[in-house]
Amino acid sequence: MKKWNKLFGLIVIAGLTVTATSCNKVKDGKVITDTYDGNVSVTSTGANAGGDFTGTGDNGVYAFGWENNKSKAEVNFDITTPTGSLNFKLEDADKKEVLNETRYAGSNDTYSGVSLAGASGVWTVTLTFSDFNGNGSYSLSPID
C-alpha cells in the first residue's frame, strides 16, 4: 500500500510540474518584457508581424513572442533618430539567438536581411533602446 501511495504522489507531482511549465510558454504577440519608457506599437502578429516605435531619449527593453512556423525570418527595421541606438534580437523557439543587429544614430539606419536557421514555433523578438530619440518601424516574415 505504501508503494502505491508513493507512486501516486510521484504521478501527481509530475503532472503538476508539466502543467506549471506548460503555462509559462510564450504566445504569439504576448509581451514578455516592457521596461522601455518610450512607445512600442505591435500593429500585427502572426505570419507578417510588424510595428512602430518612438522615443524621446528613452532607454529600455521591449520583448514579445512571434509565431514563426518556418526555419528563418526575413527582418526589416529602420530608425530615424539624432541620438541613441536600437538593438534588434531574435531567438528561435529553443531560445537560440538567430539574429542580433544594432543600428546607431548618424550611421546606417536601416537593416534588411535574413536570420540564421532556427527551430520553428514561438520566437522571441527583443528591442533594446539606448538613449533613443526619434521613431522607427520593423517587419518580420517567416521564410525557409
Side-chain angles (χ1 to χ4, degrees):
M1 187 71 164
K2 286 185 180 185
K3 281 186 179 182
W4 286 110
N5 286 341
K6 285 184 181 180
L7 180 60
F8 180 73
L10 288 173
I11 290 171
V12 169
I13 290 171
L16 290 173
T17 302
V18 168
T19 301
T21 56
S22 65
C23 291
N24 292 330
K25 289 192 176 191
V26 176
K27 296 189 179 11
D28 186 33
K30 181 180 181 208
V31 175
I32 301 166
T33 304
D34 184 4
T35 63
Y36 182 51
D37 297 329
N39 182 46
V40 177
S41 172
V42 178
T43 56
S44 60
T45 59
N48 294 303
D52 303 300
F53 46 86
T54 59
T56 54
D58 298 308
N59 298 291
V61 176
Y62 189 91
F64 63 95
W66 171 58
E67 179 73 38
N68 184 355
N69 60 357
K70 305 273 183 161
S71 63
K72 295 180 183 176
E74 182 177 359
V75 179
N76 296 289
F77 72 92
D78 65 82
I79 62 173
T80 303
T81 178
T83 63
S85 65
L86 168 68
N87 175 264
F88 193 102
K89 183 170 79 169
L90 280 179
E91 293 176 321
D92 72 2
D94 291 337
K95 301 298 179 203
K96 175 184 142 197
E97 186 176 282
V98 294
L99 183 92
N100 192 332
E101 291 289 331
T102 303
R103 291 297 178 256
Y104 301 92
S107 62
N108 182 1
D109 60 0
T110 301
Y111 175 82
S112 182
V114 174
S115 72
L116 298 173
S120 64
V122 179
W123 289 23
T124 301
V125 180
T126 304
L127 307 173
T128 303
F129 300 89
S130 296
D131 190 30
F132 190 82
N133 182 25
N135 60 61
S137 64
Y138 67 90
S139 65
L140 299 162
S141 298
I143 61 172
D144 282 320

